[in-house]
Amino acid sequence: MKIEQFVMAYGVEHDRLRAILPEGFESLRPVLRINGEIRDDKTGYIEFNTPVAKDGKKGWLNIGFWDNAYFYTEGKKVTFTGDFLEISFERVGIAGSCPAEKDNDGCWFIGAGKETFRPAEIITANKEFCDCSFRWLIEDSTCGKSIGATLPAYPEDVKNIYPEEPFSVENAAKIPCRQVLGTYAVIFER
């Protein structure tokens, strides 16, 4: 299956992110990530996650995903939209190396009282940098726009203790975006 994947990560307050994580998961960086996929040029998929560690593994914890997400293309710009999110990626014509992550063993999915771990995909194709803007369409949620640069995210010491909240898309989407950290597109076969 041909996958055209669009990835955007944005920085958030680390303590707010820690307050929504399920028990047993440790937040690695103050980051939320949205992946949009176009599968075989016809089906859209969106995934929302954050970097975590658990039981000696490091990877991504899935907060939510949406199959059959609506998307449309206008030239170099691809927009995913729905009742919950609008996000646009516009290719800028600058290529880079494969987006390998040294601390990515895979992704955890939690649903229906069950936890599943999927090993990371190995992607060797080069990425193309994108400009990106997004907004969650959930009450009191956040939005952001890239600045044309890739920025790092580092773990932050605990400064504020927030009450624990349920692990949900709605609660994660309410954490304000400090800055879009990076965004790219990559095409590969799955």
Side-chain angles (χ1 to χ4, degrees):
M1 170 186 334
K2 176 187 170 190
I3 303 295
E4 188 173 4
Q5 185 178 72
F6 299 86
V7 179
M8 183 275 293
Y10 64 99
V12 297
E13 182 185 347
H14 211 166
D15 292 330
R16 297 247 348 242
L17 182 58
R18 288 181 183 110
I20 68 166
L21 288 182
E23 189 173 331
F25 288 94
E26 174 192 351
S27 180
L28 295 175
R29 294 179 298 284
V31 171
L32 291 169
R33 181 176 79 173
I34 300 168
N35 296 344
E37 289 185 0
I38 300 172
R39 297 174 172 173
D40 283 336
D41 297 320
K42 61 184 177 194
T43 304
Y45 172 82
I46 296 174
E47 195 170 279
F48 184 38
N49 46 46
T50 188
V52 296
K54 182 179 182 186
D55 299 331
K57 293 181 183 173
K58 293 180 179 181
W60 296 88
L61 175 58
N62 185 273
I63 303 167
F65 66 93
W66 299 270
D67 288 311
N68 298 311
Y70 177 73
F71 70 92
Y72 60 94
T73 302
E74 297 174 288
K76 294 181 178 185
K77 185 176 183 179
V78 174
T79 301
F80 295 85
T81 188
D83 295 337
F84 50 89
L85 173 70
E86 181 177 274
I87 185 166
S88 294
F89 298 86
E90 187 165 359
R91 297 169 184 274
V92 298
I94 300 171
S97 63
C98 174
E101 298 170 313
K102 295 175 184 159
D103 64 351
N104 182 14
D105 295 316
C107 190
W108 287 269
F109 290 80
I110 300 173
K114 182 180 170 187
E115 182 181 303
T116 305
F117 182 78
R118 292 186 195 159
E121 288 182 290
I122 297 172
I123 301 171
T124 58
N126 283 344
K127 63 185 174 185
E128 181 178 356
F129 294 98
C130 297
D131 284 332
C132 179
S133 63
F134 78 99
R135 64 187 178 111
W136 287 102
L137 305 174
I138 299 168
E139 188 176 339
D140 299 325
S141 61
T142 194
C143 61
K145 184 175 182 176
S146 62
I147 61 168
T150 301
L151 306 169
Y154 301 106
E156 298 172 355
D157 291 334
V158 174
K159 294 177 187 162
N160 300 296
I161 304 294
Y162 292 102
E164 289 185 19
E165 295 187 53
F167 181 66
S168 69
V169 170
E170 292 81 2
N171 285 333
K174 289 178 184 178
I175 302 172
C177 170
R178 289 179 171 169
Q179 180 63 60
V180 172
L181 302 173
T183 182
Y184 64 85
V186 63
I187 299 173
F188 61 95
E189 288 291 325
R190 176 177 292 147

